[in-house]
Each structure stands twice: as C-alpha cells, then as structure tokens.
Amino acid sequence: MVRQIEQMKQVASEQNTGATGLMVNAEGLTKRYGKQIAVNEVSFQVRRGEIFGLLGPNGAGKTTTLEMLEGIRRPDAGQATVAGLDVRRQRRAMQQRIGVQLQATTLFPELTARETITLFGALFPRALATSDLLREVALEEKARSYPQDLSGGQRQRLALALALVNDPELVFLDEPTTGLDPQSRRMLWDTVLRLRERGKTIILTTHFMDEAQMLCDRIAIMDHGQIIAEDTPSGLIASLGASATIECQLTPEAPLHTLRALPGATEARHGLERTLIYTSDVEQTLVALLKTANANGSTLDHIQIHTPTLEDVFLKLTGRALRE
Ligand SMILES: Nc1ncnc2c1ncn2[C@@H]1O[C@H](COP(=O)(O)OP(=O)(O)OP(=O)(O)O)[C@@H](O)[C@H]1O
Ligand SMILES: [Mg+2]
C-alpha cells in the first residue's frame, strides 16, 4: 500500500516536470530592449536535482534569461516551462514552486532578519519555519539584527533564506557571491551543495569560473545574449583538447600561425599582455617555443604553465577574458 502511494506520488511528480524529469525547458527565449537584443534565441534544459550555471561577462544576458524563467520578464519570442508549467500561461502556479534570489535584494530597513523571513513566508500558502531558515543560512545569531547591521555576506544569506521560504523545488541565484569575502563565499557554496543533497534544483549565474567549476554539474557559457557552449565543467575543459596552457610574454610577438604549428600545440591566442598556447604535450611545445624564440631573436618572459580552466575555454571561444 505504502509502495503504491509512493508510486502514485512519483507519477504525479513526473507528470508535473514532464516524464523526462526536466525542471526547466527553455526554447528559443528572446528578449529585446529597444533595438538591442539582450537574449537571442536561448535554448537549454535543466534536469531535476542539478546545479546549473550560467557563466558569462557583464551584459551577456544572464539576468534577463533568469527573469524570463522566473516569470518576471515576458519573452518577446520563444517559450519555457519550469517544473512542467508554462512560464507565461501558468505563471502564478509556477512561481509557487520556485525561489528567487535577485542580483540585488532590497531589505526593509525597519525589519529584523527574523521579521523579514516571517513576513515573506506569509506571502505563500505554505512556508518553512523561520527558525529552520535562519539555521539553514547560519544567521541564528543575527535573528534580531536589522539589515544595516548585517555584513554584505550576511545580507546575501538573508536574501537566500527569503528565496527558500516556500520550500521551492527550484532555486534561482543571480550572482549569489559577488562582492563577498572568501569565508562568506564558502558558506554560500556549502548551503547550495546542501540544497542539492536535499533534491533541490539550482540555477545560478556567476562571473567566477572557479565557482562555476566547483559548484555546477553543468554550465552554459553566455556571451552577447547567446549560449556559446554548454557541458559539464570537465567536458568544457576537455573540449580545449589540451592538457596544459603555456602562458608567456613574447617580444616581439610571434605570429599565431607559427605558435599553432609548434609540436603539441592545439591552439594559440594573443591576450592583452600575454600569449597563450594550449598544448597536449607541454615539454615538446615548450622546447620548440624556446628554440623558435631564440632563432627569431625574441625574448620570452613570465612563463607560466597551468592546467586549463573555464577561463581558457571562454578565451578560446571568444578571444576575450571573462572578466575584463
Ligand atoms: N531594463 C533594461 N532596459 C534596457 N536594457 C537592459 C535592461 N536590462 C538589461 N539590459 C541590457 O541587456 C543586456 C543584458 O543584460 P543582463 O542584465 O541580462 O546581463 P547580465 O549577463 O546579467 O550582466 P551582469 O553580469 O552585469 O549582471 C545588457 O546589455 C543590458 O545593458
Ligand atoms: Mg546580471
């Protein structure tokens, strides 16, 4: 009997999120502000229980994409379902099932942390206990504090508690750690990972590649309103086809075709003050690079070798650094 009920629950939940267990299905989402296209035919899917990251530079269209899924902004074209519900036609029902932490949350100056959470909870038919939420975001000791007496990290954690107040299946976090000190960042990461352990789905945006690499099961890299790559962090890095990046300053600069022709080299780029050579064989490439520099009378400075990161992926895809 218990098993039958469990099975029925399972079926009901699968009907709501689609039989495929998809939490988000976005197809061709587009948003224009005047003549400018902020989000240009963006399509992606997020599975239940995943931490999905939108990574991209300022103005890439991350916030606008989230806002269309949250039912805050109406897409000009395209469609999306969240928890199996159409974000336009079933907006109200959908919003009961999600939690949203905006890029900047305005808190009421005259309400304590505890009062703020309780007030937000009253907006939903069903809310978690305020004390549980304070514990979840490690703010128990600050329950009686007013926003102006909280640190940036604590305010950010209070904003997260507000996003969790209706015990959502899906939580949107827009740059949850921007401006935070390393310790507060860690605490936020821990909370996000705990949420996933409890079966929640999380979609977050970030500029920080280390954060995306550490937290996300899958990442979509956005630039100029479009998704330019989407995969697991290791899949994205593997797509570079390189086991290492050689970073150096070559004066005068060598032409890229010469660098790309070095044995072992898979790709080369000139950055602002440095040249990057991706290689599948560091030793071979480095030896050849030194020989080439020597033969051309170039000087080679600031040589660094590192394992490729998402920053390298972005640089390879766009020719620009992620954070400029
Ligand atoms: N309300 C608005 N009116 C006009 N243009 C807007 C508006 N909101 C965003 N934009 C523009 O749309 C583009 C995408 O903005 P969006 O906020 O989605 O980017 P983002 O990736 O979240 O950037 P950031 O990393 O800085 O938060 C930007 O060029 C921005 O200037
Ligand atoms: Mg943004």
Side-chain angles (χ1 to χ4, degrees):
M1 182 66 184
V2 172
R3 215 159 108 209
Q4 272 171 336
I5 293 174
E6 283 307 316
Q7 274 173 352
M8 277 161 65
K9 273 197 204 157
Q10 176 83 14
V11 168
S13 132
E14 278 174 3
Q15 277 169 349
N16 270 333
T17 53
T20 47
L22 280 188
M23 187 53 94
V24 171
N25 189 17
E27 287 172 6
L29 284 181
T30 300
K31 184 75 199 173
R32 289 184 197 83
Y33 296 115
K35 280 192 183 149
Q36 192 205 352
I37 295 198
V39 176
N40 191 358
E41 295 193 19
V42 159
S43 304
F44 63 95
Q45 299 181 329
V46 181
R47 290 186 281 272
R48 184 176 273 275
E50 258 188 329
I51 302 181
F52 185 85
L54 284 177
L55 181 69
N58 286 133
K62 304 181 298 294
T63 297
T64 307
T65 301
L66 292 198
E67 287 174 341
M68 287 190 279
L69 296 176
E70 294 158 356
I72 297 174
R73 235 176 248 288
R74 233 184 130 75
D76 292 323
Q79 53 201 356
T81 58
V82 167
L85 300 167
D86 188 287
V87 297
R88 282 197 255 203
R89 284 182 290 111
Q90 297 165 295
R91 185 165 71 100
R92 284 290 153 93
M94 181 275 284
Q95 284 176 332
Q96 296 292 332
R97 306 195 20 195
I98 64 167
V100 176
Q101 182 188 357
L102 299 175
Q103 194 161 356
T105 303
T106 317
L107 298 165
F108 298 107
E110 65 278 14
L111 294 184
T112 64
R114 178 189 296 283
E115 289 165 347
T116 307
I117 295 175
T118 306
L119 176 75
F120 259 72
L123 301 175
F124 292 92
R126 194 173 63 95
L128 294 178
T130 301
S131 50
D132 290 345
L133 286 163
L134 284 167
R135 189 168 349 104
E136 176 74 53
V137 299
L139 276 184
E140 288 152 302
E141 283 167 25
K142 295 286 171 184
R144 290 158 192 268
S145 298
Y146 293 93
Q148 63 267 30
D149 303 325
L150 298 176
S151 71
Q154 289 163 347
R155 272 200 291 272
Q156 205 70 322
R157 292 197 325 257
L158 177 54
L160 178 58
L162 300 182
L164 301 178
V165 87
N166 56 330
D167 196 19
E169 293 160 57
L170 168 64
V171 188
F172 290 95
L173 306 174
D174 198 354
E175 291 190 31
T177 65
T178 296
L180 295 192
D181 59 274
Q183 197 201 348
S184 302
R185 272 182 97 200
R186 275 263 150 214
M187 286 184 83
L188 229 131
W189 289 359
D190 287 344
T191 310
V192 170
L193 292 171
R194 261 205 314 278
L195 287 170
R196 182 184 50 189
E197 271 169 31
R198 302 215 317 260
K200 308 288 183 194
T201 308
I202 291 133
I203 302 184
L204 59 88
T205 74
T206 183
H207 295 163
F208 302 114
M209 56 193 174
D210 59 334
E211 179 163 295
Q213 210 159 337
M214 143 94 202
L215 283 182
C216 297
D217 298 307
R218 282 189 312 124
I219 296 171
I221 299 182
M222 276 193 91
D223 192 33
H224 299 307
Q226 290 186 305
I227 292 179
I228 55 172
E230 186 192 327
D231 204 340
T232 58
S234 52
L236 285 168
I237 289 166
S239 72
L240 285 169
S243 59
T245 310
I246 301 172
E247 203 179 310
C248 61
Q249 207 175 36
L250 201 58
T251 355
E253 247 174 26
L256 287 178
H257 63 85
T258 308
L259 299 174
R260 286 177 183 144
L262 293 172
T266 57
E267 174 63 313
R269 291 257 172 206
H270 289 309
L272 264 186
E273 288 179 333
R274 50 191 190 151
T275 296
L276 292 166
I277 304 162
Y278 302 105
T279 170
S280 55
D281 186 338
V282 188
E283 233 179 279
Q284 226 192 352
T285 309
L286 200 56
V287 169
L289 176 65
L290 289 163
K291 269 192 200 154
T292 308
N294 204 6
N296 298 345
S298 318
T299 54
L300 199 55
D301 289 309
H302 306 299
I303 302 178
Q304 284 184 29
I305 295 164
H306 59 85
T307 44
T309 64
L310 290 173
E311 179 84 50
D312 293 313
V313 176
F314 188 79
L315 197 71
K316 181 175 177 192
L317 291 171
T318 67
R320 289 178 291 117
L322 194 52
R323 307 180 70 213
E324 279 163 343

